[in-house]
Amino acid sequence: MPPTEIPELKDYSSDSLDSFFSVILAQFDQDAAGADTVDALEQLRIRWIGRKQGLLTRVGEVLKDAPPETRREVGKRFNALKSNIEARLNLDVVLAPAPEESIDITLPGARRALGAEHPLIRTMNEIVRVFAAMGYSVGLGPEVETDYYNFESLNFPPGHPARDTQDTLVIVNQERKPLRERLLMRTHTSPVQIHTMEQQPPPLRIVIPGKVHRNDAADATHSPIFHQVEGLCVDTNITVSDLKGTLDHAMKAFFGASVKTRFFPSFFPFTEPSADVQISCIFCGGRGCRKCKQSGWIELLGCGMVDPAVFALAARQQPAYDAKKISGFAFGMGVERIAMMKYGIGDIGQFYSGDMRFLEQFR
């Protein structure tokens, strides 16, 4: 590479500075044109921006005697030159081919290892697919809700004892708001049912997967954060037989055709009548084992016919929900409980531990 001389700077006028910096940049272009390997580019980098003997260092020494009134302009031009050269050197080093480098395009590429669905997400998606096959669409909603949508619109009036069964996580600084407007972390995905009924007239068939929050102490079977899948069906002449047939088909589709279901009376504020659903034990086939406490049955979800009071509240926004003309059923199940059963998991905390040894089992 031929020696490069710093041009003479006669004065610090604008024209003189233009000529000075143009000559330096042209000299760099000439040097860079011959640097076509990684080694040559490294020598070019040392020659121009080396800390002690680099040409830019020498340029800076020439400019240090600039009069005070021109130093700002001189410094600005010098920094622009330095930034231009450094950027081009870094880019050229990245793009330069290594000595004798070649690419064999017949070799297989390096593939990134594919991950797998988390067991909770997998279970939730499997449940949703079962109901999607029956014509249900998916409904989603916010995790932060108002007291009205989480409780009151679902027939949990203020002071209702059923509120005490759901230890609610309330957003701070809500005391000055009216009770129905106070924000909280939803305790179930049921508010999505009300939002959907206010927005869509019947017929309606939705399944609602999502995360919910309750102030529960963490143990082997409880977590303050967990997941639910709920469903709602509204139309004319919907009966308990439709409810039982739908859930019996869903349980068989999910756990196998040999599974049986049975229904026991229960209580939920937003359904009447209400029922708990049990399935025959998938571990012992109903004969009785430790998993089912020798009963042959496992309680899995709750359901019921939608209470007319819920339809009355929805009808304020959507008059088509007239309880005298339509009826419907709702159901809900815990995803963690079903996943623990399906995969034989004994501690709910393993879902949230982030332990790769546990999660890699589900690839």
Side-chain angles (χ1 to χ4, degrees), residues 93-351:
V93 169
V94 170
L95 298 179
E100 300 180 359
E101 179 183 21
S102 62
I103 300 175
D104 186 349
I105 62 173
T106 65
L107 291 175
R111 295 185 178 180
R112 180 177 297 178
L114 294 178
E117 286 182 317
H118 189 281
L120 289 179
I121 301 301
R122 178 186 297 180
T123 302
M124 191 155 53
N125 288 342
E126 289 175 355
I127 296 171
V128 169
R129 280 196 291 269
V130 167
F131 287 96
M134 291 189 281
Y136 283 67
S137 58
V138 177
L140 299 173
E143 292 180 36
V144 177
E145 271 292 0
T146 62
D147 185 279
Y148 174 78
Y149 282 104
N150 195 78
F151 289 121
E152 188 177 337
S153 65
L154 293 162
N155 204 30
F156 288 83
H160 195 290
R163 288 191 181 216
D164 296 335
T165 65
Q166 301 189 21
D167 294 326
T168 309
L169 295 169
V170 181
I171 306 298
V172 298
N173 301 324
Q174 300 290 304
E175 294 80 4
R176 295 185 179 181
K177 293 183 178 180
L179 178 61
R180 59 167 45 193
E181 296 178 10
R182 294 179 186 177
L183 299 177
L184 47 82
M185 304 302 293
R186 68 180 182 187
T187 59
H188 43 196
T189 58
S190 304
V192 181
Q193 299 182 29
I194 305 300
H195 286 301
T196 306
M197 283 193 287
E198 288 183 345
Q199 296 166 8
Q200 300 179 28
L204 180 66
R205 288 171 177 78
I206 58 169
V207 61
I208 309 160
K211 186 187 299 180
V212 299
H213 308 257
R214 296 185 187 179
N215 187 24
D216 289 340
D219 57 29
T221 57
H222 295 84
S223 169
I225 299 175
F226 57 101
H227 299 76
Q228 286 185 336
V229 173
E230 297 191 12
L232 174 68
C233 175
V234 182
D235 206 340
T236 56
N237 300 319
I238 297 294
T239 67
V240 173
S241 294
D242 298 311
L243 166 62
K244 295 178 69 175
T246 297
L247 293 182
D248 183 73
H249 174 81
M251 295 302 101
K252 284 178 166 58
F254 192 78
F255 290 107
S258 62
V259 165
K260 299 177 182 179
T261 58
R262 66 178 185 180
F263 295 72
F264 283 88
S266 185
F267 169 78
F268 303 107
F270 37 86
T271 55
E272 179 61 38
S274 305
D276 287 325
V277 182
Q278 296 182 347
I279 64 169
S280 56
C281 181
I282 61 175
F283 303 102
C284 65
R287 294 184 298 273
C289 66
R290 183 175 61 86
K291 295 288 183 67
C292 62
K293 300 179 181 179
Q294 306 301 325
S295 68
W297 297 89
I298 296 176
E299 185 177 323
L300 203 61
L301 69 150
C303 65
M305 302 299 293
V306 177
D307 193 304
V310 175
F311 284 143
L313 292 171
R316 296 176 180 177
Q317 299 291 328
Q318 192 63 256
Y321 287 93
D322 184 347
K324 296 179 181 179
K325 299 179 180 180
I326 52 97
S327 58
F329 62 78
F331 56 87
M333 62 194 82
V335 177
E336 279 81 352
R337 176 169 174 76
I338 294 176
M340 291 172 74
M341 284 179 47
K342 184 170 184 179
Y343 297 114
I345 298 168
D347 187 344
I348 194 173
Q350 289 184 294
F351 290 129

Side-chain angles (χ1 to χ4, degrees), residues 64-79:
K64 69 180 181 180
D65 296 327
E69 65 273 13
T70 64
R71 286 177 183 172
R72 182 174 181 180
E73 179 64 21
V74 169
K76 182 179 178 181
R77 288 172 177 257
F78 176 73
N79 289 333

